[in-house]
Amino acid sequence: MKLKSLGLSSVQVPVVGQGTMGVGGYYQRDVTHDAAWVQLLRRGIDRGLTFLDTAEIYGAGHSEELIGQAIAGQRERVIVATKFSNDHSRYDQVIRAAEGSLKRLRTDYIDLYQNHWSNPQVPWEETLSAMEQLRRDGKVRFLGLSNCTLSEARQALAYVSPSALVAIQQEYNPLERTAEQQLLPFCEQAQLTCIAYSPLGQGKFAVPGNEQHPLRALIQKYRCTLAQLVMAWLIHSAPVVVIPKSGRIAHLEENAQAGDLVLEPEDAVRIGEIMRPPVVEIPTASLGIAADPHRPSYFTLEEALANPLNLVPSPRELAQQLTGGDILKPVKVKRHPHPTDQTSFLVVDGKIRYWAWRIAFGNQKPIPVLVQE
Ligand code: NAP
């Protein structure tokens, strides 16, 4: 398993770690597979997947509890990263959240403490100073940011002690490459580790699909699976490490092997070209909003501006980030099943970003979208 330095620190992390969203439940506690999860996490650690990423929200804390069981007796072998939720961004809330995580993880220090999502309603300095305090108190070794904008990352780097901030965690996979525009170059320049979350697109690179897959020749050349090729491509980029989540031993084994796969530079370039996501710009007026009974959203600009669901960040706050020069991920759309002259696509993911774009730029500027077939 190849290792990379965690930011500018002397700590080495494996290039492939273990994500744990869904371990012990997604956003609710699920205790039905505890023994199997602990066994799987331990198996991963034995195979070198010693960098574990979790969050206080995963399984409503149960993911941290299972990690606590898995690392018992071998704490010094692992690097544990966890995150506090954005409704815990006030100074006292950050401190309390960390105490809760420490208890559930059954440890007296967290290696990497990250804010899960930013909360523009709390001064950034207030959140950062609580994170800094935890580090000064020895409860946290290093700080990381997750789902941040470039401006937030720059401010954080200027605010916290030099060498405290070591990592930025962002979604990054062949279908979601927004990080390449601002955050990845920033990580390179500031020598921060980029922790690529959802590196396998949440399971979209399971099998090549068919004999005609454009990466088949490279899959054969490296004698690997498509998922392994994807991970090798991501970690080919200097600052990047990946944290795939896996619920199967066979996948764990594959992921551990991917940590040894080294691509020739021209192959990495080729993979990047072949797998470029089909992001296109289309007029905002041609988009409708897909209804989703599980995730309430806004259907009019007036609703989005009023933000009755109290979403954080609100569409207005995201719009400010856009006008300030930050780049947000493209929204995902699918073709309207019953297109009209006005509406040909429906937004299925990134609805708040869509409204933010409308608030920021009106109907004048086409919006980048990823069309899902
Ligand atoms: P992911 O790791 O991209 O994908 C997980 C899916 O890939 C699962 O269905 C898994 O199947 C499958 N898989 C794993 N290894 C595979 C392999 N070798 N071949 C084929 N398929 C494989 O998705 P994710 O869970 O969203 O992201 C990973 C981690 O990133 C999370 O667990 C979490 O720790 C972190 N994350 C952070 C944020 C954030 O906001 N900071 C957001 C999302 C995720 P099996 O389970 O069947 O093995």
Side-chain angles (χ1 to χ4, degrees):
M1 171 67 68
K2 281 184 292 164
L3 304 170
K4 287 186 183 178
S5 297
L6 189 58
L8 280 168
S9 79
S10 57
V11 173
Q12 299 274 297
V13 283
V15 291
V16 182
Q18 299 192 67
T20 63
M21 188 172 70
V23 173
Y26 278 87
Y27 299 110
Q28 281 173 358
R29 188 182 175 83
D30 176 356
V31 296
T32 52
H33 298 91
D34 283 6
W37 280 126
V38 171
Q39 199 189 1
L40 206 69
L41 290 166
R42 285 194 182 141
R43 175 79 167 250
I45 293 167
D46 288 342
R47 292 292 286 109
L49 305 171
T50 52
F51 179 38
L52 305 175
D53 177 73
T54 182
E56 62 166 334
I57 200 176
Y58 296 167
H62 195 43
S63 162
E64 290 181 328
E65 288 169 349
L66 294 176
I67 290 180
Q69 290 177 37
I71 66 175
Q74 50 178 347
R75 176 67 184 91
E76 64 296 337
R77 277 181 83 191
V78 293
I79 308 288
V80 178
T82 192
K83 321 178 192 83
F84 59 91
S85 306
N86 77 346
D87 53 356
H88 292 159
S89 297
R90 290 270 167 208
Y91 186 95
D92 291 346
Q93 294 171 327
V94 176
I95 307 287
R96 267 201 304 276
E99 299 291 356
S101 291
L102 285 166
K103 204 178 275 175
R104 288 186 292 274
L105 288 162
R106 299 192 203 175
T107 181
D108 50 10
Y109 67 93
I110 293 163
D111 294 283
L112 179 66
Y113 202 41
Q114 312 158 103
N115 70 319
H116 206 147
W117 287 88
S118 54
N119 182 340
Q121 290 161 20
V122 176
W124 193 205
E125 291 78 8
E126 178 176 338
T127 309
L128 291 169
S129 62
M131 293 169 79
E132 263 287 54
Q133 188 58 47
L134 288 164
R135 201 184 62 86
R136 277 197 293 270
D137 293 345
K139 294 180 176 166
V140 160
R141 291 174 76 195
F142 299 104
L143 307 179
L145 311 177
S146 165
N147 296 301
C148 64
T149 62
L150 178 63
S151 355
E152 286 163 346
R154 280 201 181 121
Q155 286 165 30
L157 200 60
Y159 186 83
V160 301
S161 323
S163 77
L165 184 69
V166 292
I168 289 182
Q169 182 171 146
Q170 286 298 121
E171 183 176 1
Y172 186 34
N173 63 58
L175 293 172
E176 176 39 68
R177 293 173 63 176
T178 311
E180 290 174 4
Q181 296 177 54
Q182 291 185 324
L183 287 167
L184 206 48
F186 180 75
C187 285
E188 258 175 281
Q189 176 236 318
Q191 290 181 269
L192 301 175
T193 299
C194 174
I195 303 171
Y197 80 68
S198 304
L200 298 176
Q202 303 201 311
K204 294 200 182 67
F205 305 103
V207 283
N210 60 50
E211 293 300 313
Q212 306 308 319
H213 195 280
L215 290 175
R216 181 158 291 276
L218 288 170
I219 288 168
Q220 280 168 356
K221 172 174 174 180
Y222 288 99
R223 297 170 190 226
C224 65
T225 65
L226 176 58
Q228 288 175 318
L229 197 70
V230 164
M231 288 184 271
W233 174 74
L234 289 167
I235 57 189
H236 184 82
S237 169
V240 177
V241 301
V242 296
I243 46 166
K245 171 255 156 188
S246 173
R248 295 183 219 191
I249 285 181
H251 282 164
L252 264 191
E253 293 291 339
E254 274 185 30
N255 299 350
Q257 287 160 13
D260 288 320
L261 198 56
V262 180
L263 300 179
E264 288 174 26
E266 57 274 23
D267 288 338
V269 172
R270 204 165 136 58
I271 294 168
E273 281 163 1
I274 291 174
M275 300 203 84
R276 198 159 283 288
V279 175
V280 290
E281 296 193 346
I282 61 175
T284 48
S286 64
L287 290 172
I289 301 290
D292 179 349
H294 305 295
R295 275 177 111 180
S297 190
Y298 302 132
F299 292 88
T300 65
L301 184 59
E302 291 67 34
E303 275 179 347
L305 284 164
N307 191 29
L309 296 168
N310 289 322
L311 301 175
V312 180
S314 67
R316 237 185 243 271
E317 286 159 348
L318 283 187
Q320 278 166 5
Q321 295 179 352
L322 283 170
T323 50
D326 287 320
I327 295 176
L328 305 181
K329 293 188 265 195
V331 303
K332 292 182 185 151
V333 303
K334 65 176 186 194
R335 285 179 203 287
H336 201 301
H338 310 292
T340 62
D341 287 349
Q342 283 83 40
T343 315
S344 37
F345 293 97
L346 287 174
V347 180
V348 289
D349 185 63
K351 293 169 191 170
I352 302 308
R353 296 196 295 280
Y354 167 76
W355 289 118
W357 189 273
R358 291 273 307 268
I359 294 167
F361 308 120
N363 263 341
Q364 310 310 317
K365 195 170 166 178
I367 182 170
V369 303
L370 189 62
V371 182
Q372 297 190 323
E373 298 300 346

